[in-house]
Amino acid sequence: MDQRLLLAWLHLLALAVGLAGVWARARALRDSLRDPEDRGALRRAFVGDSWWGVAAAVWVITGLWRLLAGTEKSTAYYLANHVFYLKMTLFVAILALEVWPMTTLLRWRTKRAAPNPRDAGRIEVISYVECALVVAMVAAAVSMARGYGIRPADAPVVPAGATSPAPTSDASPIPTDGAAIVAAVKPSGTEVVTADDVALLTREIAMPLDGVNPSTLHSNFDERRGGGTRAHEALDIMAARRTPIRSAAAGRVLKLFTSAAGGLMVYAADSSERFVLMYAHLDGYAPGLRDGARLARGEVIGYVGSTGNASPDAPHLHFAIARSADVKRWSRGKPIDPLPVLVASTTRSDAEGAARRVQEPSPR
């Protein structure tokens, strides 16, 4: 099993077991107060307390591993998130509340103190409070996963072009006309890419990173990855970590997704609902970004990172375009090399801008 998935599975399992354990401890202590003759109640409280302790240890270990090792999100993502600090505050509160119940129950187990109704009642109440705090931590974790809490001030606008790869001497010429792009796609099934589709793309799409001229990049669409087992079918754009990523086209968010390979990802549809645009290896999402959200072209949707299988020393945006027969199936589609489309779009935009400037009346 993938390490990221294993850690996530253990973390969630420990959370569920711990919540059940502390709840069982509270219920058993309540039973002991209601029926002092129930000798099994205290034993059940000890069992619940043991499960709570073991689960808490696994919870802490897997949580620290995920935080510091960057197996799912980078450490910088957590440290730049307000909700993460709220989650840690709740965690510290649980630890502080647990000190007295833990030591008291330990004395009861070792016969160094006799159980008494007053302390049992207090531990019961504390256990219920801890249950509520654990649930609040889960809510905070879900909010983080949906992109809430990122501090915009921590996302400096860094010209991405400074770290973008220079064109290589053996790079093949980049086609800018629709027919040449379509010829390279080899359409199949209903996901057929036509010249009209590409013309639409060149009108809709824009470079997702500021300060990058696509003509200075080279295509790595056909490169083999995974030891030669798969085609890249995307464009890698190198940039400084936390560089804002902008929506390349107007449309809507189809899915915020996390995978072992792509890390934090955004799947979005363009306004025509013909194309799926995918952004991967994000360091974090823009505040409030969620599934189904409407997108304006140029709107910040996230920040450049190296989550997933990207090298921590090489943060970049993995940008992909696919012609889709049904954008609801956001992971499917016929891949299109993004670079020729971006070059054609930039060329078109520059030409239109120049034409407008020529037509503007000169000041008198």
Side-chain angles (χ1 to χ4, degrees), residues 67-346:
L67 168 65
L68 301 177
T71 57
E72 187 162 341
K73 302 179 182 71
S74 69
T75 303
Y77 171 82
Y78 292 106
L79 298 181
N81 195 301
H82 290 303
V83 180
F84 172 74
Y85 291 101
L86 171 61
K87 183 180 175 183
M88 289 300 98
T89 300
L90 294 170
F91 177 69
V92 170
I94 292 173
L95 289 181
L97 285 171
E98 183 59 23
V99 172
W100 181 77
M102 178 180 65
T103 55
T104 301
L105 288 170
L106 183 60
R107 288 198 301 270
W108 291 1
R109 287 172 186 259
T110 57
K111 309 298 185 183
R112 287 186 292 174
N116 62 83
R118 186 185 64 176
D119 287 348
R122 289 177 177 176
I123 295 174
E124 178 193 358
V125 172
I126 290 173
S127 297
Y128 287 135
V129 173
E130 289 175 343
C131 285
L133 292 176
V134 169
V135 172
M137 285 188 67
V138 173
V142 171
S143 297
M144 287 176 60
R146 298 302 297 270
Y148 292 101
I150 285 291
R151 294 178 293 194
D154 289 342
V157 179
V158 180
T163 54
S164 297
T168 58
S169 58
D170 59 346
S172 57
I174 300 172
T176 58
D177 62 289
I181 298 172
V182 172
V185 170
K186 299 178 182 177
S188 64
T190 57
E191 295 163 346
V192 176
V193 183
T194 67
D196 287 341
D197 288 332
V198 176
L200 175 63
L201 260 183
T202 59
R203 289 195 301 270
E204 282 201 323
I205 206 168
M207 175 60 70
L209 297 182
D210 291 339
V212 178
N213 185 340
S215 64
T216 66
L217 306 177
H218 75 279
S219 176
N220 41 36
F221 183 82
D222 293 321
E223 289 181 3
R224 305 301 297 178
R225 300 293 172 91
T229 59
R230 58 182 173 82
H232 186 222
E233 296 181 337
L235 174 66
D236 285 342
I237 310 173
M238 309 304 293
R241 190 179 304 278
R242 303 290 299 164
T243 296
I245 299 170
R246 301 185 181 277
S247 177
R252 63 187 176 96
V253 176
L254 296 172
K255 185 69 175 179
L256 301 184
F257 190 68
T258 302
S259 76
L264 266 65
M265 307 165 70
V266 176
Y267 285 88
D270 75 316
S271 60
S272 73
E273 302 269 314
R274 299 187 198 182
F275 301 96
V276 175
L277 312 180
M278 188 262 277
Y279 313 78
H281 302 312
L282 276 62
D283 195 63
Y285 297 123
L289 192 71
R290 59 181 61 86
D291 293 354
R294 304 303 303 182
L295 295 173
R297 186 170 72 170
E299 176 181 348
V300 174
I301 59 174
Y303 307 100
V304 170
S306 55
T307 54
N309 62 8
S311 170
D313 299 326
H316 66 278
L317 170 64
H318 174 101
F319 180 56
I321 305 174
R323 175 65 164 94
S324 177
D326 180 4
V327 295
K328 293 178 182 178
R329 302 169 68 189
W330 41 266
S331 63
R332 305 285 184 87
K334 189 65 181 176
I336 301 172
D337 188 346
L339 186 55
V341 177
L342 289 170
V343 170
S345 173
T346 302

Side-chain angles (χ1 to χ4, degrees), residues 25-39:
R25 183 180 74 179
R27 302 291 286 184
L29 290 172
R30 187 193 66 169
D31 292 342
S32 71
L33 292 173
R34 289 184 173 181
D35 183 6
E37 300 300 322
D38 184 358
R39 299 186 180 278

